[in-house]
Amino acid sequence: MEITFSQQENHLTLTSKLSESDRKVAGKATLERDSARFSLPKDFSLDNTHPDLLALAALITFYPWIGKVLHLPFPVSVGFAETVRKVSKIDVSRTSTWIPKRVPTATARPGISFSGGVDSMAALALMPENTQPVFTLRTPPPSGGRTLYKPDVALYAIEEMKSAGKVVHVVETNHEWVREPVGFSVDPAPGIPLMLLADHLNLDAIAYGTIAESAYVTGQGKWAEYKDRVVFTRWGSLFEAVGLPSYMPTAGVSEIGSSTIVQTSRFGYLAQSCIRGIPGKPCRACVKCFRKSLITASLTKEWPAPDEVSRMMANRTIRGFLEKEPIRFEIILTRVMAEYDGQDPLLLALQKRLESKNQDVAFTDGWYPESMKLVPEKYRAVTIDSVCSYLPRMTTNQIEKFEHYNLQESMSKMNVDQSEWLEILEANAQQVLKQSKK
């Protein structure tokens, strides 16, 4: 694939051209548009940006559709090209021994791909005060079509943070629209603006609000070592190659832990994970709203009213989420519902389906010490101090349970019956539908 760069004022455009070895369709993702545009700070300059950073941004933007060779209009360092070849089997066409590896300055600071959600805000709370948050603002649909996505919550939080003296950067981009269906090309794609601005902002690390259920895949029902996963072996290596090592402050923190952190952190009151609602008013019709509301309830002991629970569980999206076996992030719902002692029949049915009173997943209340190996040594001490101010460290016994978590084995041993739960969900949905027609 050939990728060219052009800059007009503060707008940077990456344009791709397929070659014979490339592909238009990769899995379920089609390359729908050949260019991606980024609106960067007015004093941003291509000439002052290390070519390896530009190459990495291009690689991530179009990665699924690149075949054997990445053609760029400029050479990159030999070391970066070798890393690309090693982790992806893609050759970068132009290299130069005259281009040194990017090495951050002694005064460099970390950056975080910021979303304004609970997990992202928790990650920011665990990082140094000089951390640079960069929010990726998705442009409206190119064709003028409808979208459920609303940036209102994040933009409101950013303005409030700026008013309080916190510097937050916003980069508007259409890079999610290069693919059909719309979305990120690969997992690290939300951080592309950080890569482009790494020299401009003097950055030496790239952080994401990844939590334990995603890092160690316990949200999928079984523990896996993060360092063995492609997201680390491929992208972590490439970040390291451009002087932006991965910084994962919340990798050892559960979704319950991140919610606990934002309850008392400086900007935690602004955190809202729903991307369909407006500030202070989440949509209450998406999976995140359902799960986050129950997490908050378990921490505050203020559970949603039965009619609200009924309405949410009757929603097609939420109901589909709850019908899965296992439920995504079931580990979190299991811990949350262990705290429920009320009389709501639907919540009691959920508690029974999850066997919450019979499973010990209390390790989700603490943080996993081994995860600090995913934090650059420069920032490890301050991150450990920060997380300890919010959460307890997992005990030896809890670490053992976390590292051997296997939901399928647990469900098999408890002989979990899904049929009764599905009947309850169906009956509730029919009841809500009947009431809506009155």
Side-chain angles (χ1 to χ4, degrees):
M1 178 181 288
E2 179 182 346
I3 299 178
T4 55
F5 294 71
S6 62
Q7 181 178 355
Q8 290 187 331
E9 297 181 340
N10 64 315
H11 304 298
L12 176 66
T13 301
L14 280 60
T15 303
S16 65
K17 182 179 180 182
L18 294 176
S19 60
E20 187 176 339
S21 69
D22 299 325
R23 46 194 167 268
K24 179 80 171 178
V25 179
K28 297 180 180 179
T30 299
L31 182 60
E32 184 70 12
R33 292 173 178 81
D34 63 3
S35 66
R37 179 174 171 173
F38 300 85
S39 296
L40 302 167
K42 291 184 178 180
D43 52 349
F44 170 82
S45 170
L46 273 175
D47 295 335
N48 294 328
T49 304
H50 196 289
D52 291 355
L53 292 172
L54 299 174
L56 179 59
L59 179 70
I60 290 179
T61 302
F62 297 103
Y63 182 80
W65 307 283
I66 300 174
K68 298 178 180 179
V69 183
L70 174 60
H71 296 280
L72 297 170
F74 48 77
V76 299
S77 72
V78 173
F80 176 73
E82 289 177 346
T83 302
V84 173
R85 184 182 304 111
K86 179 180 178 181
V87 301
S88 68
K89 294 183 172 58
I90 294 173
D91 287 318
V92 182
S93 62
R94 297 180 62 186
T95 64
S96 173
T97 56
W98 292 96
I99 297 176
K101 175 183 177 180
R102 178 182 181 267
V103 178
T105 68
T107 59
R109 52 202 175 175
I112 181 172
S113 179
F114 184 70
S115 71
V118 171
D119 303 332
S120 182
M121 198 71 82
L124 180 62
L126 302 184
M127 298 176 71
E129 183 61 33
N130 66 348
T131 297
Q132 298 290 289
V134 177
F135 174 64
T136 301
L137 174 60
R138 182 200 295 174
T139 61
S143 58
R146 295 178 64 253
T147 176
L148 294 174
Y149 169 74
K150 293 180 180 178
D152 305 49
V153 171
L155 293 177
Y156 172 77
I158 289 168
E159 287 306 310
E160 289 294 300
M161 293 165 73
K162 286 182 176 179
S163 297
K166 182 68 175 178
V167 176
V168 186
H169 308 274
V170 177
V171 174
E172 186 174 22
T173 173
N174 63 357
H175 77 82
E176 290 183 66
W177 296 105
V178 302
R179 58 161 278 174
E180 173 63 40
V182 62
F184 299 124
S185 56
V186 288
D187 288 340
I192 295 173
L194 271 170
M195 300 163 208
L196 292 171
L197 294 177
D199 282 341
H200 182 80
L201 299 178
N202 193 22
L203 304 181
D204 64 358
I206 182 169
Y208 294 86
T210 305
I211 54 175
E213 289 73 43
S214 298
Y216 297 98
V217 299
T218 50
Q220 297 178 32
K222 190 173 182 178
W223 189 88
E225 174 57 70
Y226 182 79
K227 286 188 174 182
D228 293 337
R229 300 179 57 212
V230 170
V231 68
F232 181 83
T233 57
R234 176 181 296 154
W235 303 117
S237 298
L238 287 169
F239 293 156
E240 191 79 39
V242 297
L244 279 178
S246 296
Y247 183 172
M248 311 296 284
T250 51
V253 175
S254 74
E255 192 175 25
I256 292 170
S258 64
S259 295
T260 302
I261 290 170
V262 301
Q263 284 191 319
T264 56
S265 63
R266 181 184 177 191
F267 296 114
Y269 71 98
L270 295 168
Q272 185 175 308
S273 294
C274 177
I275 58 172
R276 299 180 181 180
I278 58 176
K281 292 183 179 180
C283 73
R284 296 291 185 184
C286 69
V287 171
K288 278 191 175 181
C289 278
F290 178 76
R291 199 171 64 237
K292 296 290 187 183
S293 67
L294 292 184
I295 292 172
T296 300
S298 73
L299 296 174
T300 63
K301 308 308 177 188
E302 298 177 2
W303 295 86
D307 60 337
E308 183 180 2
V309 173
S310 175
R311 181 184 59 78
M312 284 197 292
M313 290 174 66
N315 175 274
R316 181 180 299 177
T317 301
I318 296 173
R319 180 182 166 189
F321 160 74
L322 292 171
E323 288 176 340
K324 297 258 184 358
E325 185 181 3
I327 299 170
R328 187 169 184 270
F329 279 45
E330 182 160 326
I331 185 174
I332 295 302
L333 291 178
T334 299
R335 178 64 184 124
V336 163
M337 295 312 300
E339 297 297 309
Y340 185 68
D341 291 314
Q343 300 301 315
D344 186 332
L346 283 175
L347 291 183
L348 288 173
L350 177 59
Q351 186 183 73
K352 180 180 178 182
R353 155 65 184 81
L354 298 168
E355 293 283 350
S356 294
K357 296 293 187 179
N358 300 321
Q359 291 199 67
D360 181 11
V361 290
F363 55 77
T364 54
D365 294 349
W367 65 275
Y368 180 51
E370 284 294 303
S371 69
M372 287 301 147
K373 292 180 180 178
L374 303 174
V375 172
E377 189 172 351
K378 176 181 178 180
Y379 300 115
R380 200 166 295 165
V382 67
T383 308
I384 291 174
D385 286 346
S386 293
V387 71
C388 284
S389 70
Y390 293 106
L391 303 170
R393 185 190 301 251
M394 284 186 190
T395 65
T396 301
N397 182 52
Q398 288 176 331
I399 292 172
E400 178 77 9
K401 289 184 176 181
F402 175 59
E403 292 181 344
H404 289 84
Y405 178 71
N406 189 313
L407 182 58
Q408 290 289 0
E409 289 182 2
S410 299
M411 293 179 72
S412 178
K413 288 178 181 178
M414 292 182 294
N415 195 26
V416 173
D417 182 14
Q418 180 85 339
S419 58
E420 181 183 358
W421 169 241
L422 295 177
E423 290 174 1
I424 290 172
L425 285 176
E426 172 66 21
N428 176 65
Q430 292 299 324
Q431 179 66 23
V432 171
L433 178 62
K434 183 178 179 180
Q435 291 175 348
S436 67
K437 292 182 177 179
K438 290 183 179 180

